[in-house]
Amino acid sequence: MIRIENLHKRFGDLVVLEGVDLEIESGQSVVIIGRSGCGKSVLLKHVVGLLSPDKGNVIVDGLSIFDFSRKELMQYRRRVGVLFQFGALFDSMTVGENIGFCLKESLRMKSAEIKEKVGEKLSLVGLSGIEEKMPAEISGGMKKRVALARAIAAEPDILLYDEPTTGLDPITADRINELIVDVNKKLGVTSIAVTHDMASVYKIADRIVMLYDGKGICDGTPEEIKSTDNPVVRQFINGSSIGPISAQ
Amino acid sequence: MDDQRSAFDIGPATLISGLGRITLMLWRTLISLRFFFVSLRLIITQMYYMGVKSIWLVAVTSIFTGGVSAWQAAYQFKDYVPVRYLGGAVGKAVLIELGPVLTALVLAGRISAGIAAELGSMRVTEQIDAMESMAVDPVRYLVMPRFIAGIVMLPVLTMLADFIAMFGAYIVSVRMVGMETETFMNGFKQFFQLSDFFAGLAKSCGFGAIISVMGCYHGFHATGGAEGVGLSTTQAVVSAAVLILVADFIMATFLFQI
């Protein structure tokens, strides 16, 4: 179980998170929604320990990840897979090397074993046989799928998705959403996705949380969110420029 | 733009926090030396990039450095110092100063800039975050191999630069100044001390560390997009060049006692 407690983060004068509380049960798929720049990705980076909070905590299975030693943090990160917003594929490595990176450098697997795992994960995302291609040679949608294959390569039990469908056409975005649902189901992972793509939200979420003004303002199932009376949430899910959220 | 930073924008607070972060990075690099053998392939790749790929640059700069040193020395000796000391004077200058310092300055431009641009673009495209999230320490994977390669390859390139610069000086002395080969060589041998040669190499080890660390540090802390990467690249070259000259003075006072 992941528990985010009273998380605060500011960058200089810019307050990004101002007391976020969230509890995620094992195996649950939570989607965090909110406007661009509201701190969704910052929240995700705290969960994997890439950022330290000014105040608050992230507790995973009863342990605070910010109290971990460097070694313990590395062990924790082996349990977490992250799909970054723009893929963050290593552009000097082939697709196969990207997917096998964690297996080789962190888990120290043998080459034959890595090759087998890479093939297996690529086939899971529907991209068999592109191991030797460079990231620059594949499309945006393929990059996202390769990044997803890399995120699940070490078979993590927590998956974090940062804007998984941003910049993709609706059909490719839907394919990615299906893959996420499929992967979450097959691997039985706990997942947190951040996005402002509502089609993606309704497809992959068991539960939706909305961030606004540095805090979680709404938490519920997709049905509950669709029927909410909260004007901020209503404006956001309807994609309207008129309402309490300033369009600027 | 009011908020546009420059490569020379270093207030006291920036300087102190920068020094702290550099020390921390150096410390983490030294700790990750325990993964030396695991990272051997990465180290060799960096040695190839820094060393083999820099040979032509070092060769061209060194031959002209040696040549101009001989010509300038001959000009200054004229009417005051016997020309038989030319080989010795140029030899001393090349081995203890020109070889190590000019090689380091030239390579600061090539290597520091290259490292800062590569790591900077990895930082802004979240590749370094991705590496960390996969439980791979980016200092171990990216910084340590470059640090070792810098320390090892700078002295190797400096030896090459010393040799080529002396060859350039010899050509100019014999062909243009009109000295005899034997006179040039005797002058060189008369003043040659092995300790000078090794002191020059010791300096170049330090310069190698500066070049790698500045490139890695500025690349690691790049922010923003293309502009941020460009700025970090400039800062890497400027800071490496300044630190090389400062370190040269400090090391010279220890290595060459008057």
Side-chain angles (χ1 to χ4, degrees):
Chain A
M1 188 175 80
I2 302 168
R3 202 164 73 238
I4 297 166
E5 289 181 345
N6 194 27
L7 206 67
H8 285 72
K9 184 70 181 178
R10 64 190 301 159
F11 297 100
D13 294 332
L14 180 70
V15 178
V16 181
L17 302 177
E18 219 178 349
V20 175
D21 291 290
L22 184 61
E23 213 169 283
I24 302 159
E25 296 295 334
S26 295
Q28 200 171 41
S29 174
V30 171
V31 176
I32 297 168
I33 58 172
R35 294 192 69 196
S36 300
C38 75
K40 305 185 295 293
S41 300
V42 170
L43 180 65
L44 222 52
K45 285 186 177 179
H46 279 89
V47 176
V48 73
L50 289 173
L51 287 174
S52 305
D54 299 332
K55 200 172 137 191
N57 217 339
V58 174
I59 295 167
V60 179
D61 297 338
L63 299 169
S64 161
I65 67 161
F66 303 113
D67 291 337
F68 283 163
S69 65
R70 182 105 195 130
K71 197 176 167 189
E72 287 167 335
L73 184 63
M74 289 298 181
Q75 279 166 353
Y76 164 66
R77 282 176 178 163
R78 284 186 195 115
R79 294 177 50 202
V80 183
V82 186
L83 170 62
F84 284 85
Q85 189 171 356
F86 299 103
L89 295 177
F90 304 123
D91 43 25
S92 58
M93 296 180 196
T94 63
V95 164
E97 286 167 342
N98 262 285
I99 298 169
F101 184 79
C102 175
L103 309 178
K104 183 182 176 193
E105 297 294 338
S106 181
L107 302 177
R108 307 254 171 245
M109 283 186 181
K110 300 253 186 314
S111 301
E113 218 177 332
I114 294 172
K115 204 174 165 187
E116 192 189 313
K117 287 259 179 202
V118 168
E120 182 191 311
K121 301 305 172 199
L122 270 177
S123 115
L124 192 68
V125 298
L127 289 174
S128 298
I130 65 157
E131 285 91 336
E132 296 309 315
K133 288 217 182 289
M134 296 302 286
E137 296 169 336
I138 58 178
S139 69
M142 287 166 88
K143 275 183 195 160
K144 278 269 162 85
R145 283 148 77 185
V146 171
L148 179 58
R150 186 177 70 175
I152 59 173
E155 284 159 17
D157 40 41
I158 300 169
L159 264 172
L160 309 177
Y161 305 100
D162 188 0
E163 310 273 7
T165 54
T166 298
L168 301 177
D169 66 78
I171 295 161
T172 312
D174 194 52
R175 173 85 181 108
I176 296 284
N177 290 333
E178 275 171 9
L179 269 175
I180 289 173
V181 172
D182 199 32
V183 162
N184 287 354
K185 210 175 279 175
K186 272 186 188 156
L187 303 180
V189 295
T190 306
S191 81
I192 309 176
V194 303
T195 182
H196 39 57
D197 172 1
M198 290 313 294
S200 174
V201 173
Y202 294 135
K203 191 139 202 172
I204 63 180
D206 293 334
R207 206 174 120 207
I208 300 168
V209 175
M210 180 162 174
L211 279 191
Y212 183 68
D213 273 349
K215 287 179 183 155
I217 56 157
C218 172
D219 186 340
T221 62
E223 283 66 34
E224 285 167 343
I225 294 293
K226 277 178 194 168
S227 58
T228 183
D229 292 332
N230 186 321
V232 174
V233 181
R234 286 221 65 78
Q235 185 190 351
F236 184 83
I237 61 175
N238 292 331
S240 167
S241 63
I242 301 157
I245 308 175
S246 157
Q248 288 183 342
Chain B
M1 281 160 68
D2 291 341
D3 62 345
Q4 196 168 39
R5 294 171 297 157
S6 82
F8 307 98
D9 179 17
I10 42 169
T14 317
L15 194 65
I16 291 166
S17 72
L19 279 174
R21 288 195 291 193
I22 290 169
T23 310
L24 195 65
M25 178 179 270
L26 254 178
W27 175 242
R28 284 179 61 190
T29 306
L30 294 176
I31 288 176
S32 61
L33 283 176
R34 66 184 193 277
F35 296 107
F36 179 87
F37 291 105
V38 179
S39 309
L40 209 53
R41 186 184 55 83
L42 296 168
I43 294 169
I44 292 168
T45 306
Q46 288 304 320
M47 285 167 73
Y48 173 78
Y49 170 75
M50 288 188 193
V52 178
K53 294 261 187 177
S54 301
I55 286 176
W56 280 107
L57 181 64
V58 169
V60 171
T61 49
S62 304
I63 200 153
F64 285 104
T65 301
V68 78
S69 304
W71 186 256
Q72 293 281 17
Y75 171 72
Q76 291 176 61
F77 282 10
K78 194 170 68 178
D79 302 331
Y80 299 106
V81 182
V83 79
R84 66 173 184 273
Y85 294 123
L86 189 68
V90 173
K92 279 270 186 210
V94 164
L95 294 185
I96 68 178
E97 194 63 27
L98 294 177
V101 175
L102 285 182
T103 303
L105 288 175
V106 167
L107 293 179
R110 185 180 123 69
I111 298 171
S112 274
I115 294 175
E118 185 183 357
L119 268 52
S121 71
M122 286 184 77
R123 168 61 77 197
V124 301
T125 55
E126 294 187 310
Q127 291 177 50
I128 293 180
D129 283 346
M131 199 173 276
E132 278 202 79
S133 75
M134 285 187 272
V136 176
D137 181 3
V139 172
R140 194 274 289 175
Y141 192 83
L142 298 170
V143 181
M144 188 267 277
R146 286 165 173 80
F147 181 74
I148 301 282
I151 288 179
V152 173
M153 292 320 288
L154 252 287
V156 173
L157 289 168
T158 299
M159 277 194 271
L160 179 75
D162 287 346
F163 178 78
I164 295 174
M166 284 314 297
F167 179 69
Y170 164 78
I171 297 288
V172 169
S173 304
V174 172
R175 297 279 170 157
M176 296 169 74
V177 178
M179 284 177 74
E180 293 291 327
T181 298
E182 203 181 347
T183 315
F184 179 86
M185 293 309 291
N186 284 342
F188 176 69
K189 281 184 211 158
Q190 190 181 350
F191 289 94
F192 176 78
Q193 284 178 300
L194 205 56
S195 60
D196 288 345
F197 173 68
F198 285 120
L201 295 188
K203 287 204 298 183
S204 66
C205 279
F207 299 155
I210 289 171
I211 288 170
S212 308
V213 169
M214 284 300 103
C216 291
Y217 169 73
H218 287 288
F220 245 67
H221 294 94
T223 51
E227 189 191 356
V229 176
L231 182 68
S232 72
T233 306
T234 311
Q235 286 175 328
V237 176
V238 171
S239 57
V242 171
L243 283 177
I244 284 166
L245 295 174
V246 173
D248 182 43
F249 173 74
I250 294 168
M251 286 194 277
T253 58
F254 283 105
L255 292 167
F256 309 106
Q257 298 290 332
I258 297 171

